[in-house]
Amino acid sequence: MTESSAAAKTQPVILVVEDEPEERFLAATLLEETGFRVIEAETAEKALAILRERGDEVNVVFSDVRTPGQIGGFELARIIGVTWPRVHVLLTSGDAGDQPSDLRMSATFIPKPWRALDILTLVEQAAGYHSGGDAH
C-alpha cells in the first residue's frame, strides 16, 4: 500500500504546446517538478496528433496562442472543446491583442510573462489536482 504508486496512477497529464524551446522547457520542468506528467508539442498540429492517440490520458492543454503551422492556439482550443470536452485548455500569449473574449467558456487566458505560481495554480485547478477526494 504505497501512496507513491497510487499517486503516479492519478497524476494529471499536461500537454504543453509551445514552439519556443526555452519556454516549453521552463513550463514542462515547472509542471514535472510539481508532480504532473508532461507531454510536449511544438505545434498545434502535433498536439492534435497526440490527443488523437492519447486524449483519454490528457487532463490539461497549456498552449501558446501563436504556434507555427495552420492551426493556432485559439483554433486548437475550439477543436479540443468540441472533440475532447473534458480536457481543460489554458492559453497564453505575450501579445496584448490576443485576449480571447469569445473563448471564456472553453479556455482560460494567461498573459505572458506568466508567473510560475499562477501557472501551477491554474493547472492544478483545471486538472482537479487540488481536490484529492474524487477518486470514485
Side-chain angles (χ1 to χ4, degrees), residues 7-132:
K9 290 181 181 177
T10 60
Q11 252 182 341
V13 176
I14 315 302
L15 174 55
V16 176
V17 187
E18 171 62 66
D19 62 310
E20 293 293 331
E22 289 178 13
E23 288 187 36
R24 189 174 62 247
F25 175 79
L26 177 64
T29 302
L30 171 72
L31 293 166
E32 286 170 344
E33 288 178 355
T34 310
F36 295 102
R37 289 188 296 151
V38 176
I39 304 169
E40 298 179 38
E42 300 84 18
T43 65
E45 286 86 356
K46 185 171 180 182
L48 288 173
I50 290 167
L51 284 166
R52 283 186 204 103
E53 289 178 20
R54 303 173 63 181
D56 58 330
E57 294 175 50
V58 176
N59 301 91
V60 178
V61 173
F62 177 50
S63 177
D64 193 3
V65 167
R66 297 176 184 255
T67 59
Q70 296 182 5
I71 301 173
F74 292 143
E75 184 61 19
L76 176 64
R78 287 187 192 98
I79 293 168
I80 291 170
V82 170
T83 312
W84 298 277
R86 65 162 201 80
V87 175
H88 296 273
V89 180
L90 304 175
L91 292 176
T92 186
S93 176
D95 187 327
D98 282 339
Q99 304 264 343
S101 57
D102 62 327
L103 284 179
R104 273 179 251 182
M105 299 312 260
S106 62
T108 300
F109 185 79
I110 307 154
K112 287 182 182 177
W114 42 262
R115 294 180 323 147
L117 183 59
D118 294 340
I119 296 303
L120 290 176
T121 301
L122 288 166
V123 168
E124 286 175 358
Q125 288 171 354
Y129 198 58
H130 60 287
S131 60

